[in-house]
Amino acid sequence: MQLSAEQRLAIEYIDGPQIILAGPGSGKTLVIVEKAAYLVEKVGLDPGHILVLTYSNNTADELNTRLQKRERDKPLPQAHTFHSFGQKIIEKRFDCLGYKEPPRVLSDYRKYMLLRQAYFETAEVPIGLSNPDSIIYLLKDFVSRSCDELIGPEKLRGFIEKKELYLASITNGDQLADEREQLDDLKFATRFYEIYNQKKLGDNFIDFEDMLFGLYRVFKENPDVLKAERHRLKYILVDEFQDANSGQVAILALLGEKTEKICVVGDDDQSIYRFRGASYGSFVNFKRVFPNAVTHTLTVNYRGTPQIVAASQVLISHKTQDRFDPNKELKSGRKSGPKIGAFISTDVNSEAQSIVSLIKSLFDKNVKPRDIAVISRVHDHRKQVYEALTKADIPVVEQKPFSIFSIHDVQIVFSLIRGAFLDEEAGWIFPILFRYCSDFNPGQYSQIRENLDKLSPYELLTELEGITEISSLSQSGLKSAMDIINSIKELIPDGSASKLVEKAFELSGLLSKVVAIDENSNRVAKALSQLWQAANDFEENEQGDIHDFLNYLKWAEKTGTITLEQSR
């Protein structure tokens, strides 16, 4: 493959720390792959002595596919995410973090349960007395951001002590009250952080954040481990560096400060992980750690037409203060293409109507719907555009996974299982009534809601005939529902999650849809199949008992964790 002069220069420079600024379409991945190949084939490095890092699993998979395709006589190094590299080191040197054996990685659900336990212990209230999920998620974000910035509870405790001294000097009563409230919140969050860490250690778990903060601690607190890893690594190559946060830059500084055989590649105009502390500042921090770093810029966009590249440059010129290199300019490597159109709207609704009009005009030119894409920067804008398109009878598919619990048949199965567990939350009885007592009227539902203040949902179903007048059809349906619930209930003492779901499928008449699942099945069948798979995954990964399965399903419904892709 023919390389441009600037690509070849970036590939063959290995004399010290290097920054490669690579804009969109400039051959960034090609340069990374060819640089790895150059290090192995020309310089003679062992691929096991080259560390290739990137940020996400998707980019790691893509990079590994490209690396494998590029291999000739010698194998090339494998790309890892920062987190998978950290996990690998921690599994080898778990003792450095106080573990007695290699720790397991927390699943999202198990992490949620540990966070809940940590909250109730911090708040010193019995578990289940309230449902503080909104507070827990705020605390989770606090812990996550602290880990990203390599701030542990000990450092926070030091800050709190200094803050206490500062508060003693405040004489203004209102200011003192505000500062005291903020400090009390920080004390609570710090205590929560400590307890959560203790629970992870006690249960032999690490979470996603530990893979970085734990890695940093292993290297920082154990010079022999760091020395051995520095000796092993002859070159470090980092992709998507614009998405690195300060913690990741600190890890790279520890690994590369002695040899300075390190290259980071990224685009200072892009960062999809700013909410995790990533920004163009990663390049600034890198330059601070490695002041003699050389910068090579890839200036040709081989993907975009001159019109697209020029328009993007105009937009980017308004944010030069947020760029590592404010003078960076890209040019197109392609022939001229069609003009770019633009319109200005006063609000999102008028913008949506303009999009509808534009698409209709394209239909008049025989452009097919599948050849049109609408891309939105903000989720709320996409929703309003989607609604405008559907109202205009324009066929549209939203490329966004949807929760299986949005499917009515999944809700039926879920509700039957909740009934079998005698779930005290009332919401589960309504899908059952809609399905098995289909002739109920609004007045009957009002009576049911009034009685839910006096009876548990299960008790209400057993006494429903004494609460409201029921037709023979609904009597038969209600009996069927209660028979199913009680049959599932009998399985609970000795059953498994998958057996409960299977029994619910079988008795509700939905099993045939799941058994017949194939690539042409509709989304209802696929959603039911996903529910069954979730039960199997729970048994395999969560180490919870059968009663915990209900909490798992309720958590999955609330968080939208179990999803399906939209059908095209």
Side-chain angles (χ1 to χ4, degrees):
M1 181 174 291
Q2 189 171 359
L3 298 167
S4 69
E6 62 183 14
Q7 288 173 338
R8 187 170 297 281
L9 182 64
I11 289 166
E12 296 181 359
Y13 181 83
I14 59 169
D15 294 332
Q18 178 188 22
I19 295 172
I20 300 177
L21 293 180
S26 62
K28 173 180 69 71
T29 305
L30 170 66
V31 167
I32 293 170
V33 169
E34 289 301 321
K35 193 173 189 76
Y38 181 80
L39 291 168
V40 172
E41 296 170 356
K42 301 297 183 183
V43 181
L45 295 185
D46 185 317
H49 296 162
I50 302 171
L51 177 62
V52 181
L53 292 174
T54 187
Y55 198 91
S56 71
N57 289 325
N58 287 339
T59 53
D61 290 343
E62 179 189 352
L63 198 49
N64 281 320
T65 299
R66 296 278 293 270
L67 285 165
Q68 289 170 7
K69 287 182 179 180
R70 174 58 181 79
E71 287 180 358
R72 301 292 185 264
D73 298 332
K74 298 179 180 180
L76 297 183
Q78 184 178 7
H80 302 273
T81 64
F82 275 92
H83 292 85
S84 65
F85 173 63
Q87 182 184 354
K88 186 177 179 181
I89 297 294
I90 291 171
E91 286 174 347
K92 288 181 180 179
R93 302 309 307 263
F94 55 87
D95 56 308
C96 296
L97 297 176
Y99 291 94
K100 296 179 180 179
E101 58 182 285
R104 296 167 291 165
V105 178
L106 275 173
S107 68
D108 289 341
Y109 171 68
R110 188 57 53 191
K111 178 171 183 173
Y112 165 74
M113 295 304 291
L114 276 188
L115 289 167
R116 280 180 62 86
Q117 292 171 23
Y119 171 80
F120 285 114
E121 190 170 326
T122 306
E124 298 181 342
V125 295
I127 291 179
L129 190 62
S130 61
N131 185 24
D133 280 358
S134 59
I135 300 174
I136 289 172
Y137 284 117
L138 288 174
L139 291 166
K140 171 179 171 288
D141 290 343
F142 170 80
V143 172
S144 177
R145 190 58 184 266
S146 296
C147 288
D148 286 342
E149 300 298 329
L150 308 179
I151 298 173
E154 303 81 9
K155 187 176 289 188
L156 289 169
R157 287 288 180 199
F159 174 80
I160 289 170
E161 290 177 7
K162 293 179 181 178
K163 192 71 172 179
E164 287 282 13
L165 295 175
Y166 168 68
L167 260 59
S169 67
I170 297 177
T171 56
N172 182 285
D174 291 340
Q175 180 187 357
L176 180 60
D178 291 342
E179 295 276 3
R180 171 57 62 187
E181 183 179 0
Q182 293 177 25
L183 186 59
D184 288 344
D185 288 344
L186 180 58
K187 286 181 178 180
F188 185 92
T190 301
R191 179 61 181 152
F192 172 87
Y193 191 179
E194 289 174 328
I195 292 174
Y196 176 56
N197 281 351
Q198 292 165 6
K199 290 190 173 297
K200 285 186 294 180
L201 182 61
D203 291 349
N204 200 52
F205 281 118
I206 60 172
D207 63 13
F208 189 70
E209 287 75 21
D210 289 323
M211 295 177 193
L212 285 182
F213 195 12
L215 174 65
Y216 178 81
R217 286 182 53 207
V218 168
F219 287 154
K220 189 70 173 177
E221 298 169 10
N222 300 274
D224 58 323
V225 178
L226 177 59
K227 183 178 179 181
E229 196 63 13
R230 282 173 174 171
H231 180 73
R232 182 182 74 85
L233 298 176
K234 307 303 180 186
Y235 202 90
I236 301 171
L237 183 55
V238 185
D239 184 23
E240 303 289 358
F241 189 67
Q242 74 278 352
D243 291 326
N245 57 39
S246 59
Q248 290 161 328
V249 175
I251 291 169
L252 293 175
L254 288 175
L255 288 172
E257 66 181 357
K258 294 295 184 183
T259 65
E260 295 197 332
K261 297 294 186 180
I262 182 169
C263 169
V264 297
V265 185
D267 184 359
D268 55 341
D269 290 324
Q270 300 181 54
S271 181
I272 62 173
Y273 292 101
R274 286 179 185 262
F275 67 97
R276 296 191 68 89
S279 73
Y280 79 101
S282 57
F283 295 101
V284 176
N285 289 338
F286 184 84
K287 190 74 173 178
R288 188 177 296 121
V289 174
F290 301 100
N292 59 331
V294 172
T295 300
H296 292 98
T297 303
L298 305 182
T299 61
V300 180
N301 183 327
Y302 297 96
R303 188 187 306 143
T305 62
Q307 289 81 358
I308 291 174
V309 174
S312 69
Q313 290 295 111
V314 171
L315 290 173
I316 290 171
S317 67
H318 293 286
K319 61 178 285 290
T320 54
Q321 72 277 8
D322 293 331
R323 307 173 82 189
F324 176 67
D325 180 5
N327 298 315
K328 184 181 69 176
E329 290 188 12
L330 298 180
K331 54 182 178 290
S332 173
R334 292 184 57 183
K335 294 180 180 178
S336 181
K339 293 181 179 180
I340 294 176
F343 54 81
I344 298 174
S345 303
T346 56
D347 54 38
V348 178
N349 289 325
S350 63
E351 178 187 47
Q353 293 306 316
S354 296
I355 292 171
V356 168
S357 299
L358 175 61
I359 290 175
K360 285 182 175 180
S361 71
L362 292 173
F363 287 169
D364 293 338
K365 299 175 183 177
N366 296 319
V367 177
K368 296 180 179 179
R370 66 169 177 263
D371 295 326
I372 301 172
V374 179
I375 301 172
S376 174
R377 189 179 67 86
V378 182
H379 287 302
D380 287 345
H381 292 188
R382 181 177 64 185
K383 179 181 178 182
Q384 288 173 281
V385 171
Y386 179 86
E387 290 175 353
L389 291 171
T390 53
K391 285 180 181 178
D393 294 324
I394 294 174
V396 57
V397 174
E398 190 176 18
Q399 295 300 308
K400 176 184 176 183
F402 64 91
S403 170
I404 65 168
F405 293 97
S406 65
I407 302 298
H408 180 65
D409 284 352
V410 172
Q411 274 294 332
I412 292 296
V413 173
F414 183 31
S415 296
L416 292 170
I417 292 172
R418 290 175 67 178
F421 278 100
L422 308 182
D423 187 3
E424 291 291 330
E425 295 180 16
W428 63 266
I429 71 168
F430 295 105
I432 289 176
L433 293 175
F434 293 153
R435 172 72 172 266
Y436 293 95
C437 303
S438 57
D439 61 356
F440 272 21
N441 59 50
Q444 288 173 297
Y445 279 112
S446 294
Q447 290 178 301
I448 289 168
R449 288 189 174 89
E450 289 173 5
N451 280 274
L452 281 171
D453 293 334
K454 310 167 190 174
L455 301 171
S456 72
Y458 183 86
E459 290 171 339
L460 187 143
L461 288 181
T462 59
E463 300 179 20
L464 192 55
E465 290 186 59
I467 293 172
T468 186
E469 187 175 343
I470 303 177
S471 68
S472 58
L473 177 65
S474 288
Q475 286 178 354
S476 175
L478 181 61
K479 182 180 184 303
S480 296
M482 293 305 297
D483 287 346
I484 295 172
I485 288 172
N486 289 324
S487 295
I488 298 171
K489 187 166 170 273
E490 291 174 2
L491 289 178
I492 291 175
D494 302 311
S496 64
S498 57
K499 289 295 184 184
L500 291 188
V501 173
E502 182 180 356
K503 178 62 73 172
F505 283 160
E506 177 189 343
L507 297 178
S508 64
L510 295 171
L511 184 61
S512 59
K513 289 185 178 182
V514 181
V515 173
I517 187 76
D518 59 35
E519 63 180 12
N520 296 316
S521 299
N522 62 32
R523 70 177 191 167
V524 174
K526 290 179 179 178
L528 290 168
S529 180
Q530 277 287 82
L531 179 61
W532 201 346
Q533 183 60 51
N536 285 287
D537 290 343
F538 173 83
E539 292 172 358
E540 182 177 349
N541 300 321
E542 300 303 341
Q543 295 89 40
D545 62 24
I546 189 66
H547 294 277
D548 202 27
F549 179 56
L550 177 62
N551 291 328
Y552 172 74
L553 288 181
K554 290 166 80 170
W555 167 81
E557 180 189 34
K558 183 172 183 177
T559 58
T561 300
I562 309 174
T563 61
L564 281 179
E565 295 292 331
Q566 294 277 9
S567 300
R568 286 185 174 274

